[in-house]
């Protein structure tokens, strides 16, 4: 059903793209109305999907202690707090809508500053947006907050990548080494070996 709907919407959009360059004034108005209709349909689909995702999460939390709601990277097995910001933030993140996801997780972390998984999403959201200073700050806060060696290693690795971006190679090397020492399954030793790094990565 959804596949057919979006196939039709894509066909209409393709038609708009094809007709627009040669359209007269009347046709341009018609195409603009079609485009607005597609935008409204898209917004409604997203809104309904988020509403359903919230209800689904609520149902799962009541019927089953829901491991699906906890990221597999969160070895501490935290249960998400009763907050709509978490559900909405996850939904936006999965849709690659990172500004909206960051907005939700920022509110969540302010309400629950010790909720590890919320801060993971917030840090990764900032990273995906290219806001490296904010991402770095939250990864720094995450390291002492979590007991999970995997999350610590992910945080060290992310901070190392940010230091590479900032051309601070010695600091990047130190973070990559800490990531490997924290969780030896997370990174190849050659990634941080000074004999090869940063020229050899395999």
């Amino acid at each position: 059903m959804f596949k057919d709907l979006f196939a039709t919407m894509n066909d209409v959009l393709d038609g708009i793209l094809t007709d627009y360059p040669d359209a007269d004034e009347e046709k341009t108005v018609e195409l603009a109305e079609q485009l607005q209709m597609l935008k409204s349909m898209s917004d409604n689909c997203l809104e309904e999907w988020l509403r359903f995702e919230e209800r689904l999460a609520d149902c799962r939390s009541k019927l089953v202690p829901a491991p699906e709601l906890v990221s597999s990277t969160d070895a501490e097995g935290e249960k998400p707090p009763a907050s709509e910001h978490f559900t909405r933030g996850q939904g936006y993140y999965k849709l690659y809508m990172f500004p909206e996801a960051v907005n939700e997780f920022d509110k969540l972390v302010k309400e629950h500053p010790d909720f590890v998984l919320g801060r993971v999403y917030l840090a990764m959201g900032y990273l995906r947006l290219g806001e490296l200073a904010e991402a770095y700050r939250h990864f720094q806060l995450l390291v002492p907050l979590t007991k999970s060696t995997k999350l610590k290693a992910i945080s060290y690795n992310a901070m190392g990548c940010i230091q590479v971006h900032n051309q601070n190679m010695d600091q990047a090397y130190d973070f990559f080494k800490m990531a490997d020492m924290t969780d030896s399954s997370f990174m190849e030793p050659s990634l941080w070996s000074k004999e090869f790094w940063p020229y050899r990565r395999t």
Side-chain angles (χ1 to χ4, degrees), residues 16-17 40-41 51 100 109 122 137 164 202:
I16 293 173
L17 292 170
S40 296
M41 290 177 67
R51 188 176 293 116
E100 293 84 355
V109 165
L122 182 58
R137 183 172 73 87
V164 168
T202 58

Side-chain angles (χ1 to χ4, degrees), residues 75-179:
E76 294 169 58
E78 283 187 305
K79 184 177 180 180
S83 171
E84 65 178 17
H85 297 307
F86 180 75
T87 304
R88 287 184 179 274
Q90 266 197 328
Y92 284 131
Y93 194 93
K94 290 174 183 177
L95 290 172
Y96 298 93
M97 299 172 66
F98 299 115
E100 293 84 355
V102 163
N103 182 54
E104 294 295 336
F105 285 117
D106 183 60
K107 293 175 182 176
L108 174 68
V109 165
K110 286 176 181 175
E111 292 177 357
H112 306 277
D114 295 331
F115 178 46
V116 171
L117 189 55
R119 197 170 294 277
V120 171
Y121 271 115
L122 182 58
M124 292 301 296
Y126 276 124
L127 192 64
R128 298 296 291 269
L129 287 174
E131 296 186 27
L132 302 186
E134 277 299 297
Y136 192 90
R137 183 172 73 87
H138 285 287
F139 281 120
Q140 277 185 312
L141 292 170
L142 185 60
V143 170
L145 189 62
T146 180
K147 297 177 183 178
S148 166
T149 56
K150 191 166 189 67
L151 286 181
K152 286 181 185 289
I154 288 171
S155 299
Y156 286 135
N157 181 62
M159 287 190 285
C161 291
I162 293 170
Q163 292 294 355
V164 168
H165 181 271
N166 294 335
Q167 298 298 306
N168 298 323
M169 299 306 188
D170 285 340
Q171 291 182 44
Y173 160 79
D174 289 338
F175 279 124
F176 288 144
K177 185 173 182 179
M178 283 191 288

Side-chain angles (χ1 to χ4, degrees), residues 172-186:
Y173 160 79
D174 289 338
F175 279 124
F176 288 144
K177 185 173 182 179
M178 283 191 288
D180 186 83
M181 293 176 67
T182 301
D183 188 338
S184 60
S185 67
F186 183 68

Side-chain angles (χ1 to χ4, degrees), residues 59-87:
C59 181
R60 283 175 171 170
S61 67
K62 290 177 180 176
L63 298 181
V64 181
E68 298 93 342
L69 298 183
V70 180
S71 169
S72 60
T73 61
D74 182 20
E76 294 169 58
E78 283 187 305
K79 184 177 180 180
S83 171
E84 65 178 17
H85 297 307
F86 180 75
T87 304

